[in-house]
Amino acid sequence: MEKRLPIKFFEKRIRDEQRTEGGGSQREDSWILHGDALTHRSQQLVSNMSQVAATFATRKQEKRKLPMVVATTIVEDAIAKSHRGQVVDLLDSDRKSNVIGIASAVQLDEPSNVSNPAKGDKGPPKSKETRRLLSVVTTDELILRIKHALQDTQNFAKLISAIAEIEPFEAQRVDYNPDNRLYRIRLIDYRDPHTNTLAQNLFKAKCHAHGIKIERETRYTRDMNLYRVSLDSMTNLEIMLGFEGIFSIEEAIPIRMDMDSLDDTLVPTAKQPVEGETYPVVGVLDSGIEKNKYLSPWIFRAGEEYYEGQYQDRGHGTMVASVLEYSDELNGTDDTAATGVMMMDAVIVPDLRKETVYPEDIIDNVRDAIERHRDIKIWTMSVGTIEECAKNSFSQYGIALDNIADENNVLIIKSAGNSNAFLYGDEHERITKMADSVRALVVGSIAGEKGQYDIAEIDTPSPFTRCGPGPAYVIKPDLVAYGGNTGRRPDGTTTMTGVRVLDRAGMVARAPGTSFSTPWIARIAAELNHLLAEDFDPLLIKALMVHNAGYPAGQRMNMEDKVKFMGFGMPPGIRDILYNSEHEITLILRDSLPKSQFINILEFPFPKSLVRDDGFYRGQITLTVVSAPILRASEGAEYCQSDISVRFGTMTGIKRRDTSKPMILNPYGSENGANLLREDYYSKIILGVTEEKAFAKERTLLRYGKKFHPIKKYAIDLDEMTAGNRKKLLGKDRKWYMRIEMLCREAIEREFRETGEKLEQEFCVLLTIRDPEGKAPVYNEVTQQLQDRGFVYSDVKLKNEIREYVRIEKDSNTD
């Protein structure tokens, strides 16, 4: 679903003025057909739909398990998004989001006579690429609705003119090469986690049934699964082509390998900063960055070296920097917004084969580097100890990193650490000391590929990644990204399928570890900091990333294990963080709260369009709270001395309160309020699902919103509420409220009483309200309610020079 609407900041209730927007107009395009040409096109498309209907009927009779996919070819002049709108509306005319993507096909034109018109000679046929909208068809009613519209030449001339052909989708055929048995297969992305998982399982089952070996399974991007399979005959190729979930199949051409490096032809093009353009900035706390042609242009100032050259080994730091700079180009992702990132190199660790170093030496180096470069706000750190963190006390090293972050107002992105315990069948080791930092974003690793002997399935925790929780059951790691896979061969040797990196010589190599998932997260944080037209705000950046993070689809892990190994999940790219679709809205409240007060927002905006026909509210709600707790190292497991708690729910109304009575200070309050973030309001069966429902992959269960956790996240689906609670708490006449309170431990209250200082807590709350059915105008309705109810609100502000870049639609190449 397209996201073009900016997320919004709002403030506590203040009556103030608001802004409005305008509109535009359009005229008929020259390519729209009329008369006989329009009639002929209409008849052709109706005939197409008759064939679609016949194929759909056959599939139903055969009881196919995957949805039927239809390819709608758009005429060249109508490829632009502004012209495709009616076509998409047609394909979605059952009020479902049926369009799942765009496919290209190469077709041969009729031979032209341009070579010698006088002689009537015709030139050779030319190939051209056509764009096809792919959509799913699940009902006969939708087919009839489409067919009816295509017959209506009076009202739908533009729609009919925009479509060249409609046909059941089939992967383009490929010739079988008996000299190369390896073929690369990509499955259809149905834009639905459950259906995608089903397609993968059916594909694997078909391969197994026919003795077709899957050599490697690889996730290149979020919506692209590739399988390299061994096909021994043309018959096997036909079997694969007959699988309904195939998007494409092609011959897999091997590349020339030299040890663990790839051929120079696979090295990405060296990027150069554009003069006058600004870029995100990241400080790299590591072993040093080799100044080769790929990375040297992006090192923007003299760095810090805490060891002489003969005691350095810049290999690790170079690989970390290459992920920071070239991750998309190397690993096939598409998550960055800026074309590059500037780096400051801090050599904080030596070649450990030549020099002994202790954790405190690292801390000193980190502190010195950051203090010397206070203007750099995002730092990536993929080095640290190998010691496991304690269960009930925070390490000195983690506390030191917190102190450095607070004193310098920076955000450190820290690796969770690696472990070899999986090699010996031991339990997973917990995160390392230093990674128990409260202020840092700590990053674990998940697998993006799976080799023959690798242990982890794609999108599940890497075997080597360390797990949580941190001390005092604080959720760590906070986030995850792709960091590689490992396993053991039958002979006992270790296999490693690392992420693609650049080594010191600029050659592509493989490297597994949380060291290489960490800079991926640092890049997103740096881009957010660069894009936002706000003063640096680590709470806001952390909140945006955690709030939008989710667990990759297709997993069968219980929620406790997801949180243990993956924290709050994997964040998406910048575009999905900063923008909403029309069926959702994200609101941000960034504030501080003194101990003596609480925020009680009565009549909180909530869309009436989410009331069902039966009179009860529906919808999905995600609420994230990120705070900067007051820290005291002396308090052991109670290191976090303050907390922010949030209640969000419904009430029957606002009641007057008698302030003449003792202990009653507020004249208004909620009547019969119910906090919907309570776990016991929801079905225990639903709360125990893995990925059977799409929302389950994003849900951090309510039980993880514990007191004195610096990050809390709640994700609820009102349809999952028990019937009795739904009847009592979700009626259309109930109002909505949000209450935010500060909690403090006794030690810090006592300390502030003695000093007379003001005890207050900074926080950031993000709330997303979403219609999972993609029907309700949530964004516009909540915005209108913000205005009507006197809130001060504004769109998230981006720097002018990059606003349009971030808002590029993902299919803009069709314009």
Side-chain angles (χ1 to χ4, degrees):
M1 189 175 295
E2 186 178 4
K3 295 190 175 187
R4 301 181 60 186
L5 304 170
I7 61 178
K8 294 182 180 294
F9 286 90
F10 77 103
E11 299 179 12
K12 292 171 292 192
R13 189 72 60 96
I14 300 175
R15 307 294 178 181
D16 214 341
E17 296 181 354
Q18 308 299 318
R19 296 172 295 176
T20 59
E21 296 182 284
S25 61
Q26 62 180 29
R27 58 174 182 161
E28 180 175 291
D29 297 285
S30 59
W31 49 267
I32 294 178
L33 302 174
H34 297 279
D36 291 342
L38 178 61
T39 300
H40 178 74
R41 176 70 61 78
S42 172
Q43 292 172 346
Q44 171 208 326
L45 295 179
V46 169
S47 176
N48 288 167
M49 288 307 300
S50 296
Q51 180 58 47
V52 168
T55 304
F56 184 69
T58 300
R59 288 171 57 89
K60 283 202 303 183
Q61 187 175 13
E62 295 173 350
K63 297 182 178 180
R64 299 284 186 97
K65 295 182 179 180
L66 293 175
M68 177 179 174
V69 177
V70 169
T72 302
T73 303
I74 308 298
V75 299
E76 186 173 358
D77 289 331
I79 284 177
K81 178 188 296 292
S82 57
H83 301 318
R84 292 207 315 264
Q86 272 193 303
V87 181
V88 174
D89 290 342
L90 173 68
L91 301 174
D92 290 349
S93 58
D94 58 353
R95 304 189 70 181
K96 296 180 181 177
S97 298
N98 295 319
V99 176
I100 60 174
I102 297 176
S104 298
V106 177
Q107 296 180 340
L108 293 179
D109 276 346
E110 290 296 325
S112 65
N113 58 4
V114 296
S115 59
N116 193 337
K119 295 183 178 181
D121 292 343
K122 293 186 176 182
K126 296 182 178 180
S127 63
K128 71 173 182 178
E129 182 181 289
T130 61
R131 303 290 175 84
R132 301 186 292 172
L133 287 177
L134 300 186
S135 62
V136 294
V137 173
T138 56
T139 64
D140 292 301
E141 289 75 16
L142 176 60
I143 294 175
L144 290 174
R145 190 175 288 113
I146 294 173
K147 195 171 184 178
H148 183 267
L150 295 176
Q151 290 172 325
D152 189 352
T153 55
Q154 182 174 352
N155 294 311
F156 295 104
K158 181 177 180 180
L159 170 66
I160 295 168
S161 302
I163 301 174
E165 189 175 27
I166 303 177
E167 59 186 345
F169 174 75
E170 292 182 357
Q172 285 195 309
R173 300 189 64 84
V174 62
D175 293 330
Y176 180 73
N177 181 2
D179 296 325
N180 182 14
R181 297 181 294 107
L182 296 180
Y183 290 79
R184 186 177 296 110
I185 292 175
R186 173 184 168 187
L187 301 184
I188 294 171
D189 175 19
Y190 293 92
R191 300 288 179 91
D192 175 75
H194 179 72
T195 308
N196 284 347
T197 300
L198 176 62
Q200 293 172 37
N201 291 338
L202 291 174
F203 173 75
K204 293 175 183 178
K206 185 155 192 171
C207 289
H208 182 267
H210 293 276
I212 295 173
K213 184 179 179 181
I214 298 176
E215 300 285 349
R216 180 178 289 273
E217 178 182 357
T218 302
R219 170 70 60 89
Y220 274 13
T221 66
R222 295 184 196 283
D223 58 0
M224 185 188 300
N225 287 327
L226 298 180
Y227 297 86
R228 192 170 72 231
V229 300
S230 179
L231 304 180
D232 296 327
S233 65
M234 182 64 190
T235 301
N236 280 348
L237 176 61
E238 293 293 342
I239 291 171
M240 288 292 92
L241 286 169
F243 178 63
E244 57 189 313
I246 294 286
F247 179 82
S248 64
I249 183 168
E250 62 183 2
E251 188 177 347
I253 307 299
I255 58 176
R256 187 159 55 100
M257 301 289 292
D258 180 17
M259 299 298 289
D260 61 352
S261 298
L262 305 183
D263 190 90
D264 280 345
T265 57
L266 293 180
V267 175
T269 302
K271 301 184 294 187
Q272 296 285 334
V274 177
E275 187 175 354
E277 187 171 340
T278 61
Y279 296 90
V281 178
V282 176
V284 182
L285 301 163
D286 214 285
S287 67
I289 304 172
E290 188 69 28
K291 293 178 174 58
N292 58 41
K293 66 178 182 179
Y294 299 98
L295 301 176
S296 180
W298 299 96
I299 301 175
F300 78 113
R301 68 169 61 154
E304 304 297 333
E305 297 184 20
Y306 297 96
Y307 302 92
E308 296 181 1
Q310 65 267 31
Y311 296 108
Q312 295 180 13
D313 180 356
R314 293 175 172 262
H316 185 271
T318 299
M319 292 188 291
V320 166
S322 71
V323 173
L324 190 63
E325 193 66 57
Y326 290 93
S327 182
D328 277 357
E329 294 88 342
L330 288 167
N331 294 291
T333 53
D334 183 25
D335 294 302
T336 60
T339 55
V341 57
M342 305 306 295
M343 297 178 288
M344 202 289 294
D345 182 16
V347 185
I348 66 167
V349 292
D351 183 344
L352 299 180
R353 296 167 297 184
K354 300 178 180 178
E355 185 83 354
T356 302
V357 65
Y358 295 93
E360 53 267 30
D361 300 329
I362 296 176
I363 291 296
D364 283 343
N365 296 340
V366 169
R367 184 182 297 276
D368 185 75
I370 290 177
E371 288 179 348
R372 289 175 181 271
H373 303 272
R374 292 176 184 267
D375 59 320
I376 298 176
K377 295 303 180 182
I378 305 296
W379 295 80
T380 186
M381 182 177 178
S382 293
V383 296
T385 71
I386 60 172
E387 300 173 71
E388 190 175 36
C389 75
K391 292 183 178 180
N392 293 312
S393 62
F394 293 81
S395 73
Q396 296 174 5
Y397 317 132
I399 291 171
L401 288 184
D402 291 338
N403 178 258
I404 293 169
D406 284 344
E407 289 187 353
N408 297 279
N409 189 30
V410 299
L411 177 58
I412 298 173
I413 317 296
K414 176 72 180 73
S415 57
N418 305 319
S419 170
N420 290 327
F422 72 94
L423 292 174
Y424 312 106
D426 297 334
E427 291 186 4
H428 286 270
E429 293 182 285
R430 293 167 67 231
I431 61 168
T432 61
K433 296 178 179 179
M434 283 195 205
D436 57 0
S437 164
V438 170
R439 298 287 193 241
L441 272 178
V442 176
V443 184
S445 171
I446 58 175
E449 299 183 47
K450 186 178 189 298
Q452 183 177 0
Y453 299 108
D454 287 340
I455 294 173
E457 296 296 328
I458 289 177
D459 286 335
T460 63
S462 304
F464 52 78
T465 192
R466 297 221 178 198
C467 65
Y473 296 97
V474 169
I475 293 176
K476 293 289 178 180
D478 299 287
L479 299 169
V480 291
Y482 293 123
N485 207 338
T486 53
R488 299 191 77 171
R489 299 183 182 90
D491 62 4
T493 58
T494 303
T495 65
M496 294 187 180
T497 306
V499 296
R500 292 174 178 83
V501 298
L502 295 175
D503 63 16
R504 294 180 61 177
M507 300 293 289
V508 176
R510 292 275 195 166
T514 58
S515 287
F516 309 109
S517 56
T518 300
W520 192 91
I521 296 294
R523 172 73 180 255
I524 296 178
E527 288 193 349
L528 281 171
N529 181 45
H530 180 60
L531 296 174
L532 293 169
E534 310 279 345
D535 292 335
F536 173 68
D537 187 347
L539 279 188
L540 175 60
I541 291 172
K542 289 166 71 172
L544 286 168
M545 295 176 72
V546 168
H547 185 74
N548 289 279
Y551 302 113
Q555 297 181 23
R556 289 194 172 274
M557 296 175 64
N558 62 49
M559 185 54 64
E560 289 187 0
D561 283 340
K562 287 182 179 180
V563 174
K564 177 180 178 181
F565 287 96
M566 295 186 284
F568 298 99
M570 184 173 179
I574 298 298
R575 300 174 186 89
D576 291 329
I577 290 177
L578 295 176
Y579 288 89
N580 289 142
S581 73
E582 61 184 308
H583 308 300
E584 63 182 0
I585 191 166
T586 298
L587 302 175
I588 306 169
L589 178 61
R590 179 66 173 88
D591 211 337
S592 63
L593 187 63
K595 175 65 173 69
S596 59
Q597 297 179 14
F598 64 90
I599 298 171
N600 198 16
I601 304 176
L602 304 175
E603 290 267 56
F604 194 94
F606 200 93
K608 280 290 187 181
S609 57
L610 288 180
V611 175
R612 293 183 180 279
D613 292 339
D614 61 6
F616 296 100
Y617 278 101
R618 62 180 180 86
Q620 293 173 346
I621 298 166
T622 303
L623 188 149
T624 301
V625 188
V626 178
S627 61
I630 300 169
L631 304 176
R632 289 296 181 266
S634 60
E635 298 302 318
E638 295 187 358
Y639 177 55
C640 296
Q641 284 282 296
S642 61
D643 184 44
I644 292 292
S645 68
V646 178
R647 301 178 190 176
F648 183 73
T650 64
M651 59 185 181
T652 55
I654 301 172
K655 65 180 179 182
R656 282 185 171 273
R657 306 171 77 244
D658 187 358
T659 56
S660 65
K661 294 182 178 180
M663 308 300 292
I664 296 181
L665 302 176
N666 301 295
Y668 298 98
S670 62
E671 187 170 25
N672 300 318
N675 177 22
L676 300 188
L677 305 182
R678 286 174 45 179
E679 182 179 358
D680 57 354
Y681 285 152
Y682 301 87
S683 167
K684 294 187 183 299
I685 296 176
I686 291 294
L687 291 177
V689 301
T690 50
E691 77 289 355
E692 307 302 330
K693 297 186 68 174
F695 196 57
K697 73 184 179 68
E698 298 180 359
R699 182 195 293 107
T700 301
L701 291 185
L702 311 184
R703 68 186 70 146
Y704 295 104
K706 293 183 178 179
K707 290 183 179 179
F708 298 100
H709 281 196
I711 301 177
K712 304 181 182 74
K713 185 175 180 181
Y714 309 87
I716 58 177
D717 190 329
L718 298 182
D719 280 349
E720 296 174 353
M721 187 175 285
T722 61
N725 286 317
R726 182 184 301 115
K727 184 176 181 179
K728 182 170 61 174
L729 306 177
L730 296 181
K732 64 181 179 180
D733 294 327
R734 289 184 69 87
K735 313 299 182 184
W736 292 78
Y737 77 99
M738 178 184 287
R739 182 183 176 110
I740 305 172
E741 297 177 276
M742 180 185 182
L743 305 176
C744 292
R745 298 189 190 271
E746 185 274 336
I748 203 66
E749 286 189 349
R750 182 178 67 246
E751 176 186 324
F752 275 74
R753 278 197 306 269
E754 293 172 353
T755 62
E757 295 179 55
K758 184 178 180 181
L759 181 54
E760 61 181 0
Q761 169 79 77
E762 288 193 17
F763 69 91
C764 186
V765 173
L766 270 72
L767 173 71
T768 295
I769 303 168
R770 178 184 298 114
D771 177 13
E773 297 177 11
K775 299 177 181 178
V778 172
Y779 190 93
N780 286 341
E781 190 173 354
V782 172
T783 301
Q784 186 64 50
Q785 289 184 20
L786 285 169
Q787 178 173 322
D788 294 343
R789 297 176 186 183
F791 289 90
V792 173
Y793 69 95
S794 62
D795 295 343
V796 62
K797 294 181 175 62
L798 303 184
K799 295 175 183 175
N800 291 334
E801 67 268 23
I802 52 185
R803 176 179 293 273
E804 292 305 316
Y805 182 82
V806 177
R807 293 186 60 179
I808 293 174
E809 288 91 15
K810 292 183 179 178
D811 57 347
S812 60
N813 61 342
T814 63
D815 291 340

